[in-house]
Amino acid sequence: MTSFETSPQLNVWRALLALGVVFVMLATTGWTALRTHRGTTALQASVTKWEHGRIHGHHLPDPDASPARLARFFASLTEQERDRLAHRYPLAVGNMNGAPAELRYHANRIAMKQARKVEKKRMHDSRLSPAGQQQAGRRMHRYESLMTEGRQILAFDPEGTGRIAEVFGNLDTAERISVVVPGVDTDLLTFQKTNRKYSATAGMAEALYSAERTASPTTRTAVIAWADYTAPNGLGVDAATAMRAEDGAVRLNALLRALPGIAPVSTFCHSYGSVVCGVAAHAMPDRVADIAVAASPGMRVSNAAHLDTSARVWAMRDATDWVQDVPYMEVGGLGHGADPVSSAFGARVLSARDAQGHSGYFEPGTDSLRNFADIGVGAYRAVTCARDVEVCREGLSGTATAGRA
């Protein structure tokens, strides 16, 4: 599920904001929240093991080294050596920015196979409650689905509710790369859905990839379904603050800096995902050409210029989306600032006709998806502006003109 799946009552949202203000005031006057101290995670253990590993008698490079440094290291190895590292340190390699994409897919398949065995055993663990055993079964089946032949898992962390990223298309040969950034209630189990497929991150990315190929069949594209951050759970205080977005922004920019090649990148940020993109914007690499937001509760700034980015900023909101009734404000760290579709914000406002509700922006046949696809392939003059005005295309006369089929 992505970003506020059901329409909340406004008084509940305002109450949460008020409650959050109290928490912020307490925090700034010396009150400290207790955090649960957890043991070493599987990913941390894999990274630690890597840090003590060797090849040809030499230490392996720092896993936090620059993507370029790590890319050179992996390029210096034989295929057999890379495969050996993937088997020895699957989670480390599978999440390592700078490792070749194909190697990450391979390593994550190994990691998911191991995680599947763990969950299969937990399904029959008498120490777990029936609900715990059922949850283990759901996770096991999710891993099986993600391991289906042809799926390209770029990041995988089974800890907690889990993090995941999947690639549609070929990252190494893409002429344009798109990244879908989802909102609240996004985790391993909600990453894909059978019902309401296009409201889940994987479905969003799959729909965008298909629409981009329709918009420009000759343009080689790749789309990343990026659920590789810990999203807020429901409409609690986390969703009303930037705490999760700040961590997500660091992770998002790490991904963007590690993408192969020099292809322009467009980010498509839904609901709370637009908060992540807003916080990340000032540090995004120059190759990010577009930041497009839909159903946004705000981007933590008062106007687009304050994002401090050279990327084009696009925004859309369907007339039936309840998020328009959320207070667009920021007080004491609560709320996410100005409305990105307001004229004062300064984004290029796009049509979202037919995108029913808060989670329908990636539904095939909608203006919103067609507009996203045109941005993704660089066909800027083909986009449809909101309210049938041409202002969203101003200054784009020299851009690509690939049309829709």
Side-chain angles (χ1 to χ4, degrees):
M1 178 163 59
T2 53
S3 303
F4 316 115
E5 197 64 38
T6 58
S7 176
Q9 296 296 320
L10 284 182
N11 60 343
V12 174
W13 177 252
R14 292 189 175 105
L16 286 169
L17 285 176
L19 180 62
V21 170
V22 174
F23 281 125
V24 171
M25 291 175 66
L26 286 170
T28 57
T29 55
W31 180 82
T32 303
L34 294 175
R35 294 181 179 272
T36 301
H37 293 281
R38 307 189 66 167
T40 301
T41 68
L43 175 55
Q44 290 168 341
S46 185
V47 170
T48 298
K49 187 177 177 183
W50 169 281
E51 290 172 336
H52 291 88
R54 289 176 174 265
I55 191 167
H56 303 315
H58 300 288
H59 287 291
L60 295 172
D62 184 343
D64 293 322
S66 71
R69 163 75 178 88
L70 291 169
R72 288 193 297 271
F73 165 72
F74 283 107
S76 72
L77 305 178
T78 65
E79 183 177 347
Q80 291 75 18
E81 289 168 337
R82 288 192 290 270
D83 183 71
R84 192 153 57 245
L85 290 177
H87 277 86
R88 286 180 181 172
Y89 320 103
L91 280 171
V93 174
N95 291 277
M96 193 172 292
N97 289 316
E102 291 290 340
L103 184 64
R104 291 179 67 169
Y105 305 155
H106 177 51
N108 283 321
R109 182 174 292 273
I110 295 168
M112 286 186 292
K113 186 176 182 180
Q114 294 174 351
R116 177 186 175 278
K117 289 181 180 178
V118 170
E119 297 302 333
K120 187 174 184 180
K121 187 174 295 185
R122 293 180 72 244
M123 285 176 62
H124 306 288
D125 189 337
S126 60
R127 294 171 297 180
L128 294 179
S129 66
Q133 292 175 336
Q134 184 181 34
Q135 186 80 346
R138 291 183 64 200
R139 289 174 73 97
M140 187 200 74
H141 291 305
R142 176 47 44 85
Y143 297 149
E144 288 178 342
S145 175
L146 293 169
M147 291 166 59
T148 302
E149 187 67 30
R151 298 194 73 167
Q152 303 177 134
I153 305 304
L154 186 67
F156 169 68
D157 183 359
E159 182 65 17
T161 56
R163 295 195 297 254
I164 188 87
E166 181 175 13
V167 175
F168 295 83
N170 190 319
L171 270 182
D172 292 318
T173 62
E175 297 171 301
R176 303 277 310 194
I177 297 173
S178 298
V179 182
V180 175
V181 183
V184 306
D185 291 331
T186 297
D187 56 35
L188 272 170
L189 292 179
T190 61
F191 180 68
Q192 64 188 49
K193 296 179 184 178
T194 301
N195 297 320
R196 304 185 71 245
K197 174 180 178 178
Y198 302 111
S199 68
T201 316
M204 291 177 175
E206 183 181 352
L208 180 58
Y209 181 57
S210 177
E212 287 181 350
R213 287 184 294 169
T214 298
S216 182
T218 60
T219 302
R220 297 191 304 273
T221 64
V223 179
I224 301 173
W226 189 79
D228 193 26
Y229 80 108
T230 303
N233 181 20
L235 290 175
V237 174
D238 275 358
T241 70
M243 183 176 70
R244 298 295 188 187
E246 288 166 356
D247 175 67
V250 171
R251 299 184 66 83
L252 177 60
N253 278 327
L255 165 81
L256 295 173
R257 287 191 290 269
L259 291 174
I262 59 173
V265 177
S266 300
T267 61
F268 298 91
C269 320
H270 180 250
S271 199
Y272 189 86
S274 69
V275 185
V276 176
C277 291
V279 175
H282 74 281
M284 286 181 176
D286 291 341
R287 68 188 291 188
V288 176
D290 306 283
I291 301 172
V293 303
S296 176
M299 300 181 73
R300 305 296 296 185
V301 293
S302 59
N303 60 66
H306 290 168
L307 292 171
D308 193 22
T309 177
S310 60
R312 301 172 193 85
V313 180
W314 310 83
M316 66 170 70
R317 186 175 63 222
D318 178 65
T320 64
D321 190 339
W322 60 261
V323 81
Q324 63 192 305
D325 296 321
V326 167
Y328 282 96
M329 63 180 189
E330 189 276 320
V331 178
L334 273 294
H336 301 302
D339 182 354
V341 302
S342 66
S343 58
F345 190 82
R348 299 174 183 271
V349 184
L350 298 162
S351 170
R353 190 172 58 240
D354 299 325
Q356 294 298 312
H358 189 70
S359 300
Y361 292 87
F362 290 82
E363 286 283 344
T366 57
D367 266 10
S368 49
L369 181 60
R370 283 190 290 265
N371 277 326
F372 279 165
D374 286 332
I375 292 169
V377 299
Y380 300 115
R381 283 191 287 173
V383 300
T384 303
C385 303
R387 297 179 291 276
D388 297 320
V389 296
E390 302 301 308
V391 66
C392 79
R393 291 196 291 268
E394 285 183 359
L396 298 178
S397 59
T399 59
T401 58
R404 298 170 182 151

